[in-house]
């Protein structure tokens, strides 16, 4: 007991160091910067790929880390005689202006200024409400659960 008597004990709870709004904003900006690399590869007619490490079993049955490449899908696509540019947070498309989910431009070269505008808007916090709306999940209801709850 003499060894513990010399220590200074206190009760503490660890404070979170990151604001979740800023973390979501930085995640979106990082995704948009990656889309600029996808755009640069699309101008050259190539796919943008990133390195990925995954664990696999080799021929001896041992688990080893293997380096593979993953294709990054673009957030822009050709349709209706032009290009549509969307802003995504994860797998969800964000309605940047609150109503519409894409920006239409005539040529592929006009995609980069739209991505730059998205980055500027996300960095300044203009898209925080759209990100928050996209991250909200609706509760899942099983098909028969609504009828069972109504019947009591």
């Amino acid at each position: 007991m003499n060894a513990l008597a010399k220590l200074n004990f206190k009760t503490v709870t660890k404070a979170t160091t990151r604001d979740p709004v800023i973390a979501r904003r930085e995640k979106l900006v990082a995704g948009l910067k990656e889309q600029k690399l996808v755009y640069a590869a699309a101008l050259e007619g190539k796919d943008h790929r990133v390195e990925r490490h995954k664990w696999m079993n080799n021929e001896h049955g041992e688990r080893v880390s293997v380096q593979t490449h993953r294709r990054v899908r673009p957030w822009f696509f050709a349709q209706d005689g032009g290009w549509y540019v969307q802003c995504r947070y994860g797998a969800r498309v964000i309605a940047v202006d609150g109503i519409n989910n894409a920006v239409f431009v005539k040529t592929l070269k006009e995609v980069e200024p739209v991505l730059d505008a998205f980055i500027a808007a996300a960095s300044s916090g203009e898209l925080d409400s759209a990100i928050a709306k996209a991250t909200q999940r609706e509760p899942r209801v099983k098909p028969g659960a609504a009828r069972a709850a109504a019947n009591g």
Side-chain angles (χ1 to χ4, degrees):
M1 199 50 129
N2 290 336
L4 293 178
K6 297 176 186 176
L7 300 176
N8 183 13
F9 288 100
K10 291 185 178 182
T11 303
V12 67
T13 57
K14 187 174 180 179
T16 58
T17 58
R18 262 186 109 172
D19 183 17
V21 173
I22 293 174
R24 287 191 296 254
R25 188 183 301 169
E26 289 174 356
K27 179 181 175 182
L28 179 62
V29 169
L32 287 165
K33 287 182 179 178
E34 186 173 47
Q35 284 301 308
K36 287 190 72 165
L37 298 174
V38 173
Y39 166 76
L43 283 178
E44 297 175 5
K46 299 179 182 176
D47 286 338
H48 177 67
R49 297 183 180 270
V50 293
E51 290 182 358
R52 176 179 164 215
H53 297 280
K54 68 181 192 178
W55 290 91
M56 296 181 69
N57 293 331
N58 64 7
E59 61 273 358
H60 304 293
E62 301 168 333
R63 293 200 42 90
V64 293
S65 177
V66 178
Q67 180 180 352
T68 61
H69 294 280
R70 177 181 62 88
R71 180 178 167 259
V72 179
R73 293 188 178 166
W75 293 356
F76 49 90
F77 55 93
Q79 187 174 315
D80 300 332
W83 290 82
Y84 286 98
V85 184
Q86 294 181 320
C87 187
R88 293 179 168 265
Y89 187 80
R92 298 172 185 247
V93 178
I94 297 175
V96 176
D97 67 348
I99 301 167
N100 301 306
N101 67 357
V103 175
F104 180 77
V105 293
K106 295 282 186 187
T107 64
L108 181 61
K109 293 189 186 229
E110 296 174 21
V111 169
E112 187 175 25
V114 174
L115 292 173
D116 290 335
F118 284 164
I119 290 172
S123 298
S124 66
E126 292 179 41
L127 301 180
D128 288 346
S129 62
I131 296 170
K133 188 175 180 182
T135 57
Q136 291 176 349
R137 296 188 181 253
E138 296 180 12
R140 288 189 171 182
V141 178
K142 292 184 180 177
R147 261 185 276 133
N151 294 336

